[in-house]
Amino acid sequence: IMTAAVVPFGLVAALYLQEYTSSGFLVSLIRISIHNLAGVPSIIYGVFGLAFFCYTIGSFIDGGPKNASIQPMATNSWLVLLAAVVAISTAAFASTLISMRDSTATGRRQWLSRLALCLWLSCLGLLVFLLVKSPYFGGFYSAELPKPTFGKGGILWAAFTLALLTLPIVIVSTEEALAGVPSCLREASSACGASKWQTIRRIVLPYATPGIMTAGILAMTRSIGQVAPLMLVGALPSASNLPLDSEFPFLHISRAFMHLGYQVYALGIQSQDTEAARPLVFASILLLVTTVAVLNLAANSLRAKMRQRIQQHQL
């Protein structure tokens, strides 16, 4: 779940920084922030995941804004803002259509495209605000309150917390992979009449796929041994029910889970009889190291096959 969440987002961020931006103060500030986030201790991400994902988003899913300590808007004000969202989205749609059909003036077309982008972003922000402050939403699990369903630690929030933890690594590694694509390939694609997005989709991304997979491998290897943030967002020494079982929907993303690294900590340090628990500690460590090795070997093998396919295609 973490890999599926972090790799696409990191790829989009790296594409924007590498392909669509020019060097400037804002881009330099973003890159410095990304490198600084890579050095933040993992426990900080755990505290953030507990406060944001569990106590805010999870509580909102369970019982609506009031359960998440958010004051809903008045009904009349909410409806007025909803009408404003409809008007802004209509204007954004019209601006997009006009910019696509207007082929006479390049400056006017760029101005309309930027206006449409600003309108769409404003519409998206207002939609999120209306959803958070909605007076009509009472949560999906209000009947089960005060016992939380998503407003507590679970495998979904743990995966999202680890995704935030490994996001700087994915962005930096993916950006390096994109920068390693020869510029002559981009120039040749542009000379054949391809647009920028067609060049990225058909030339840059296939060539950089092994490097992108390397970013995913680095994220996986760093996250698999993290214990401190998972202790706050869902990992338990002993869980009565596994997240994956034979009951529908088979994968219960709101359940807590057991983690091998946490097992090593609990058995080796918190156990009342550490000598008796020593064989279990060694077995857990062996299983954890074996799991990391198998995942790395599988990912490296897949990356090597894709690199070989790309080289054969170039020949």
Side-chain angles (χ1 to χ4, degrees), residues 299-312:
N300 285 322
S301 177
L302 181 60
R303 181 182 61 179
K305 289 182 179 179
M306 298 188 69
R307 182 174 294 172
Q308 184 179 4
R309 184 182 303 175
I310 292 172
Q311 291 176 353
Q312 292 177 353

Side-chain angles (χ1 to χ4, degrees), residues 43-173:
I43 190 64
I44 304 299
Y45 288 96
V47 174
F48 175 81
L50 180 66
F52 182 70
F53 293 125
C54 300
Y55 293 159
T56 303
I57 298 181
S59 298
F60 181 84
I61 294 173
D62 286 344
K66 291 184 179 180
N67 191 49
S69 301
I70 299 173
Q71 185 62 33
M73 290 182 63
T75 304
N76 294 334
S77 301
W78 192 86
L79 292 175
V80 170
L81 276 181
L82 182 62
V85 168
V86 174
I88 293 174
S89 61
T90 304
F93 183 72
S95 301
T96 304
L97 287 180
I98 295 173
S99 64
M100 292 175 62
R101 294 181 178 179
D102 190 2
S103 59
T104 56
T106 305
R108 180 183 174 184
R109 184 177 182 180
Q110 291 180 353
W111 182 83
L112 287 173
S113 299
R114 293 175 181 175
L115 176 63
L117 178 61
C118 293
L119 290 175
W120 283 122
L121 291 177
S122 301
C123 182
L124 180 61
L126 284 175
L127 279 176
V128 173
F129 180 77
L130 287 175
L131 178 63
V132 171
K133 303 283 284 185
S134 173
Y136 300 102
F137 181 67
F140 295 108
Y141 302 95
S142 57
E144 300 180 11
L145 293 175
K147 182 181 178 181
T149 302
F150 280 91
K152 58 180 178 58
I155 192 169
L156 179 65
W157 305 139
F160 285 173
T161 302
L162 290 180
L164 291 177
L165 174 66
T166 57
L167 181 61
I169 299 175
V170 175
I171 293 177
V172 173
S173 301

